[in-house]
Amino acid sequence: MDYNFEDVEARWRKYWDENGTFSVEKHPEKPKYYCLVMFPYPSGDLHVGHGRNYILGDALMRWKTKEGFKVMFPIGWDAFGLPAENCAIKQKIHPRDWTFQNIERMREQLQGWGIGFDWPREVTTCKPDYYKWTQLLFLWMYRKGLAYRKEAAVNWCPACATVLANEQVVAGLCERCDTPADMKRLEQWFFRITDYAEELWKDVETLDAWPERVRMMQRNWIGRSEGVDIFFKLDDGRDLPCFTTRQDTIYGATYAVLSPDHPDLEAILEGSSEKAAVLEFAAGARAKTAQKQPDDTEKEGVFTGKYLINPMNDERIPLWIADYVVGGYGTGAIMAVPAHDQRDFEFAKKYGLPIRLVISPDGKLRDAGLLEEAFTGDGIQVNSGPFDGIGNREAMAGIADHMEEEGKGKRTVRYRLRDWLISRQRYWGTPIPIVYCETCGIVEVPEEDLPVLLPDVEEFKPTGESPLAGVREFVETSCPRCGGPARRETDTMDTFVDSTWYYLRYLTPHKEEHPFGIKEAAEWLPVDMYIGGVEHAILHLLYSRFVARVIADMGLIACREPFESLFTQGMICKDGAKMSKSKGNTVSADDLIAKVGTDAVRLSTLFVGPPEKDVEWKNKGVEGAVRFINRLWRMVDRVSALRTRPGPPDPDRLSEENLALLRKSHWAARKVLEDIGERFHFNTAISAVMELVNEMYRYWPETEEAPPSDDTADVLKACAETAVNLLAPMIPYVCEEMWTLLGHKPSIFEVPFPEWSKEILKTDLVTVVVQVNGKVRANIEVPAGAGKEEVEELAKQDPSGGKWLEGKSIRKSIYVEDKLISFVVS
């Protein structure tokens, strides 16, 4: 008979809740494991594409629970920000109402998926008991000089009518609404993340348990460059430093270029007859720069009417302004070397500027006019004064030494990373706890007056000015320092501030005197596994790493990296595209669960493919999951009725046929424990259990009504227990039910995983090929069915294969069971 999933799910959900099965307080003596999934925007109905993140996290939580850990697995809501406000405007309701309606709906859906979150730890960032502490974080930053206000050219979304951080402009468009971004000068609040640029860049190397793709994205965004600030001078003697990483090309500089948003542009242009034309060009170029034109866009510029003096050869070169130079990197001014930089080459060709070769592949002089593209490789210095004839890499050091000795330049390190712009001219966000007093200036709101409450307003549509500016009772206040009249800051904080520290609030979510418990932070940090989308690789993860360091420097936490391991799951797609309501390709999780049950939806989600890869959703996968669960249920139901002997089967007493079935269960246990424990591959683990169940049916087909022999019955029960035990993290409801059918007390999550025996797995020897860096180096004899670790060790011990591994660093190994072990070494 098939099982009644509705009754089973209701019964076990109640049991887990009443018994605190997954509560960390139940077993304080156990080692900790902090499992965290990125908390969601409360955006409305969840579909099966959303489920992957949470089901993966839940399966891992249950897995680690069975491994003997007390597992922290909390949930909350990233409830402030533009998405909520924009949707509320569209729906013509208050963002507060829209947000809390969605939270209720999504909470219900997550519980329907069987996600075992520690719900008493739930946090919501738009509630005063949370954003009070986000405001305190701002004050901590302010007191340490890490929060400051200045006028700056900022990215501006005209549709959202608010500022965007650099990271929120994607391909020139607002990441929220796809409107082309503009540039605008405003007084804004910033966090000084650049003070931590070197540490953030360097410590990426310590994130061994993060995907290399994410580490590379962080490195590139921080953008560390070693080079030289070269002290060019204007005709009137004023310095204009230009940063370069290619000081070996200094003798080939034939012009210089300013960024359109150079902070000293007007002062530099003083006295130039071209000033008006240059400023007009700069204004247009700034707007184009905000829209992040592709690299192959034709470059444009104008001559400023000014000249610079090259400090190495005293050559007078023209100063231009051009749209291909970015003001946020380096000094906002570059020396242009068209013979050795492709962008400079294209610009020089367009405007007829000189091109001078100073590095030659073979040290021979060539006519630079014959170049079809810039030469960017290494070579020998030519046309380089005293540095002629030496390799350009050697010349880089020599030229830098000479510049520093002569006061013509200085070695420096520059970063692409800019300070984090946190001001937003929108309503639905955390108010910034600052007041402005004509007498005292900028004054922080005292801690005892926090939270600064977000007022309840009816009109919050974007106008370009914060909606809070029109709320008189909010704006008008008294100065905390002198008691005189003052006005509140009306911008709100970027929602990414809220999410930089939420993992800390989970530890003590109801603590009233501090944002988090110091003792609890010492026990639980860092987060052991963080699961979420790769789209957060720069914004959220980089900001969280920064904030963790600030809090650590205050002595409040010991770890500087908040997330020990990171797993970025792939998307579930439909019809070749990411599931989304706008595309009309979503699959309702509610409808599926009502039709086939939670466990079937969970199983199909985990079985659909490698969890780090994007996969295509097929409803046939759900049908297959239903068939398998019912097939397993029927076998367990039949086995539970057999008369079996207590304890595990004795392999020495078994026939070869029964021993082969027992061996299959040990193979499945080893396969599942390796695939999930080492590779997080639930899909192949499930496949291994399916093989085991198929083998059980081969031994005892459904068409065979007569009970098997006593030995076979004992082995079938052992196999059934193994299958149910291994699948429990993936399909928890039905496995709890089957575990009791097999005569055990609940809960299955208080029972360890089945152990597998090397002795039982040993059968005949097989030949395995040993490859090292793609070349066959040996053939070794190993027991059939041997595990990866055993085969690796045998390969190292083998005289022929081992010599190719000795003293090498094994970067990666791949094992194809009974066939091949392949090593990548360096």
Side-chain angles (χ1 to χ4, degrees), residues 699-745:
Y699 274 71
W700 193 24
E702 285 186 278
T703 55
E704 188 174 307
E705 295 183 7
S709 68
D710 289 347
D711 282 349
T712 303
D714 291 342
V715 174
L716 282 169
K717 183 176 182 183
C719 290
E721 289 173 335
T722 294
V724 171
N725 198 346
L726 293 173
L727 287 173
M730 289 83 100
I731 48 174
Y733 293 114
V734 70
C735 285
E736 285 275 29
E737 189 75 8
M738 290 188 292
W739 193 244
T740 61
L741 274 178
L742 290 167
H744 300 287
K745 295 180 180 179

Side-chain angles (χ1 to χ4, degrees), residues 610-648:
E612 71 277 12
K613 303 289 187 182
D614 292 349
V615 291
E616 180 75 10
W617 178 267
K618 296 184 184 300
N619 287 334
K620 286 184 178 180
V622 181
E623 296 168 7
V626 172
R627 285 195 300 270
F628 171 70
I629 292 173
N630 284 323
R631 182 171 164 82
L632 175 60
W633 172 271
R634 292 193 300 273
M635 176 59 76
V636 169
D637 186 47
R638 294 170 71 209
V639 167
S640 69
L642 294 175
R643 293 176 60 184
T644 56
R645 289 166 289 204

Side-chain angles (χ1 to χ4, degrees), residues 45-51 109 113 572 579-581 586-589:
D45 279 355
L46 298 171
H47 53 68
V48 295
H50 294 119
Q109 288 186 290
W113 267 325
I572 291 183
M579 285 190 186
S580 71
K581 294 176 184 176
T586 61
V587 176
S588 169

Side-chain angles (χ1 to χ4, degrees), residues 769-778 801 804-805 809-814 820-826:
V769 175
V770 179
Q771 284 186 347
V772 180
N773 288 345
K775 295 184 178 180
V776 176
R777 296 302 186 186
W804 298 97
L805 300 172
S809 173
I810 298 176
R811 292 165 48 202
K812 186 179 182 181
S813 62
I814 299 171
L820 170 75
I821 181 77
S822 178
F823 297 94
V824 179
V825 303
S826 58

Side-chain angles (χ1 to χ4, degrees), residues 513-534:
E513 66 276 10
H514 199 269
F516 57 89
I518 305 300
K519 177 173 69 69
E520 289 80 1
E523 177 184 4
W524 284 98
L525 295 184
V527 171
D528 294 280
M529 175 59 76
Y530 198 23
I531 302 172
V534 74

